[in-house]
Amino acid sequence: MFMKLCAGQYKYLLTVYELSKTLKVVRSVDIANSLSVTRPSVSRMLKCMARLELINPDYASSVVLTDLGRETAKKLSVNFDMIHKFFTEILKLDEHSAYEQSILFLSTFPENTTQKLAAITRNTIKKRNEQHK
């Protein structure tokens, strides 16, 4: 079980997590560019994330996930990937809508509901792939 975050916090946490996989240093401008938001918006959310202990409090020059932030993001990422597949592969939503709906779903529904939908999605995709062999 992990902390419940609002949709905005999910977006930012997953963005920092994904950027940290490819960039040596994640800066607020990188986050702003990735999410198409203003730097002041990023600054406000980073302050909130630091209070939640998801990022190190000294985020002025670089944004670094704490152990809690990294672990939370890792779990969210797994759930996000499967829920995103549900929206793209089963409901056939466009990429932008699927992304937004996935974030909204994860921030709204309980974790057990998310896990059940993820399992259904996995099984549906597996069956579909077996039928096409």
Side-chain angles (χ1 to χ4, degrees):
M1 184 88 166
F2 49 93
M3 70 177 63
K4 195 70 178 160
L5 303 173
C6 72
Q9 293 164 330
Y10 269 90
K11 275 187 192 180
Y12 278 80
L13 184 60
L14 288 173
T15 299
V16 172
Y17 181 69
E18 291 302 320
L19 288 172
S20 67
K21 290 179 180 179
T22 57
L23 301 175
K24 284 186 180 185
V25 175
V26 177
R27 300 166 302 146
S28 61
V29 68
D30 301 318
I31 299 166
N33 291 339
S34 181
L35 293 173
S36 300
V37 297
T38 64
R39 300 248 326 256
S41 293
V42 173
S43 181
R44 282 191 298 275
M45 184 58 79
L46 293 180
K47 189 177 194 177
C48 173
M49 291 173 70
R51 276 196 310 269
L52 293 171
E53 299 180 357
L54 297 171
I55 62 169
N56 289 334
D58 181 23
Y59 55 82
S61 59
S62 69
V63 181
V64 179
L65 293 171
T66 61
D67 289 342
L68 174 65
R70 197 170 13 270
E71 190 59 35
T72 302
K74 192 175 181 181
K75 288 176 184 175
L76 291 175
S77 182
V78 170
N79 286 339
F80 175 85
D81 290 344
M82 197 49 60
I83 298 305
H84 187 263
K85 280 187 179 190
F86 170 77
F87 286 114
T88 55
E89 295 185 25
I90 295 173
L91 295 186
K92 306 290 188 200
L93 296 183
D94 64 88
E95 185 60 36
H96 177 74
S97 297
Y99 176 84
E100 293 296 325
Q101 293 298 316
S102 298
I103 294 292
L104 189 59
F105 185 92
L106 288 169
S107 65
T108 306
F109 286 87
E111 186 180 353
N112 65 339
T113 303
T114 300
Q115 289 174 346
K116 288 176 183 178
L117 183 60
I120 290 168
T121 302
R122 240 186 321 277
N123 290 338
T124 301
I125 291 170
K126 182 179 175 185
K127 285 178 186 173
R128 186 182 295 164
N129 290 340
E130 288 171 356
Q131 290 173 350
H132 294 307
K133 284 185 180 180

